[in-house]
Amino acid sequence: MKLEETKLSSTEIFDGVAIHLYRDEILLPNGNKGVREVIRHPGAVCVIPITEDGDVIFVNQFRYAFNKVTLEIPAGKLNPGENHYECGLRELEEETGCKTDNYRYLGCMYPTPAYCSEIIHMYLATELSKGEQKLDEDEFVDVEKMPLSDAVKEIMNGNITDGKTQTAILKAYIYLNK
């Protein structure tokens, strides 16, 4: 059986600042019609910055949807027309004040493919130089460092719960230890 669904029509339900919600009528593989509600998202980038000492630079950030502070790697939403490579460098500097001379693409992930089109591109940054944070007006973060091996343990113990952070750290750990 062919596992594709074909969009027949699309209606925007909500036009928000960060997300846009659509109700799509679709044709299922068996010929029946169905409905999919989809959040259209411009995409994002996350960067795992690792110091010469092997520490990951994290940001603590309040996440309103969960009403708590989470430990994450620097990340941000793509601006219209922005290249994900450049977005990652921008977010790294804005949130941590760091710049890098060694920046490697680790791939992408689909955080919630059942209902959201967001793609998060992941980068590893080493050979860091420190400058000043350039936070957005509505952005508040605290910077924290942790050895990469401890970060892996914290993921496995359930203490680092952010999906993009988990994925990027585990990929970086495997890449750096092969």
Side-chain angles (χ1 to χ4, degrees):
M1 178 187 294
K2 190 174 176 183
L3 296 177
E4 292 181 20
E5 299 175 349
T6 304
K7 180 172 37 174
L8 301 173
S9 66
S10 185
T11 304
E12 187 173 39
I13 297 170
F14 177 75
D15 181 20
V17 174
I19 62 170
H20 307 278
L21 178 61
Y22 289 82
R23 183 182 188 279
D24 293 356
E25 185 179 348
I26 61 160
L27 184 62
L28 296 166
N30 64 3
N32 294 334
K33 290 184 180 179
V35 172
R36 297 288 181 257
E37 293 175 341
V38 180
I39 296 171
R40 305 252 190 260
H41 188 283
V45 177
C46 65
V47 180
I48 175 168
I50 300 182
T51 67
E52 286 182 25
D53 297 331
D55 289 342
V56 177
I57 301 175
F58 288 97
V59 293
N60 283 297
Q61 189 168 358
F62 183 79
R63 292 302 190 180
Y64 183 82
F66 291 98
N67 194 35
K68 67 186 245 181
V69 174
T70 60
L71 186 65
E72 304 176 24
I73 56 176
K77 184 175 57 131
L78 287 163
N79 291 325
E82 186 176 27
N83 174 290
H84 59 80
Y85 180 93
E86 295 298 326
C87 177
L89 292 172
R90 175 180 56 77
E91 288 294 338
L92 175 65
E93 184 175 9
E94 282 179 8
E95 294 187 7
T96 69
C98 291
K99 293 184 179 185
T100 181
D101 287 328
N102 192 354
Y103 191 55
R104 176 178 176 77
Y105 189 62
L106 295 175
C108 68
M109 67 173 284
Y110 302 164
T112 49
Y115 59 85
C116 184
S117 68
E118 180 180 21
I119 298 172
I120 300 177
H121 298 275
M122 299 171 285
Y123 285 89
L124 170 63
T126 57
E127 299 178 31
L128 305 171
S129 58
K130 188 72 173 125
E132 295 294 319
Q133 283 180 311
K134 299 176 180 176
L135 298 172
D136 294 334
E137 191 175 285
D138 63 348
E139 188 172 34
F140 305 92
V141 302
D142 288 328
V143 176
E144 177 181 328
K145 292 180 185 177
M146 179 188 305
L148 177 59
S149 59
D150 289 354
V152 170
K153 289 175 190 169
E154 291 297 302
I155 288 168
M156 299 310 292
N157 290 333
N159 297 323
I160 295 176
T161 54
D162 176 62
K164 69 183 175 304
T165 299
Q166 290 180 346
T167 303
I169 286 175
L170 295 174
K171 287 184 89 157
Y173 183 80
I174 290 168
Y175 172 75
L176 293 170
N177 289 290
K178 50 177 163 165

